[in-house]
Amino acid sequence: MAKIKLEDLLNRHLKDGFQSKDVSVDSLGGEITIVKQPLTTIMRIIDGLDESESMSSKFDIFAQLIYQCVPLLHDKKLQEKYECAEPQDIVMKVLDDNMNDLEKLANNILAFYGLDSEKMKDEVKKP
């Protein structure tokens, strides 16, 4: 691997502003757009991910993460249609409780930050 020099960093293209990607969601029969959020926002959400012992805790964190990063789910009409008590309830309802799609979306979001939910848990468990 080559040693990084000052010129390399100065010439590096900075990614400006808005970053998004479309992710295929089987339960929806199409793609949904996820939008990268500030790292501090994501860190607050995933703080408990490495400590979550139960599946329900892990998937609650995933639902928060997806809600934060999918602007389409913020629509009040959509939340009313699905009778959501809390705004983030829309995630599970729209995905029809499909755990595979929930995890796939969450992992695609974490990939924006160079993370993977399973690798995070493994890294924390290492002595």
Side-chain angles (χ1 to χ4, degrees):
M1 187 174 275
K3 187 167 183 158
I4 303 296
K5 298 177 185 149
L6 179 59
E7 295 99 33
D8 297 327
L9 294 177
L10 291 171
N11 293 325
R12 185 174 170 211
H13 173 68
L14 295 177
K15 296 177 182 170
D16 296 329
F18 185 80
Q19 290 182 25
S20 67
K21 65 180 168 180
D22 295 331
V23 179
S24 175
V25 181
D26 294 336
S27 61
L28 297 176
E31 293 182 336
I32 198 161
T33 302
I34 57 174
V35 178
K36 186 175 182 181
Q37 302 296 311
L39 179 60
T40 53
T41 301
I42 300 307
M43 287 171 52
R44 279 192 290 273
I45 294 171
I46 65 172
D47 263 348
L49 187 59
D50 58 332
E51 299 167 2
S52 61
E53 297 291 326
S54 70
M55 288 288 282
S56 62
S57 296
K58 177 180 175 180
F59 283 98
D60 283 344
I61 291 168
F62 284 176
Q64 291 175 39
L65 190 62
I66 293 165
Y67 180 75
Q68 185 67 41
C69 295
V70 180
L72 181 65
L73 300 178
H74 295 204
D75 186 89
K76 298 299 178 199
K77 287 184 208 173
L78 183 65
Q79 293 169 11
E80 287 172 15
K81 166 96 169 132
Y82 282 86
E83 300 176 353
C84 298
E86 297 293 326
Q88 80 180 34
D89 292 347
I90 193 65
V91 174
M92 294 294 214
K93 291 186 179 203
V94 165
L95 294 178
D96 198 26
D97 294 329
N98 185 310
M99 291 175 24
N100 187 48
D101 285 342
L102 188 73
E103 188 165 30
K104 181 180 182 180
L105 280 168
N107 278 325
N108 271 277
I109 292 165
L110 292 173
F112 271 133
Y113 309 92
L115 299 173
D116 174 279
S117 64
E118 289 306 312
K119 287 181 185 172
M120 284 175 56
K121 287 186 94 165
D122 293 341
E123 290 298 316
V124 171
K125 289 180 183 176
K126 287 183 182 175

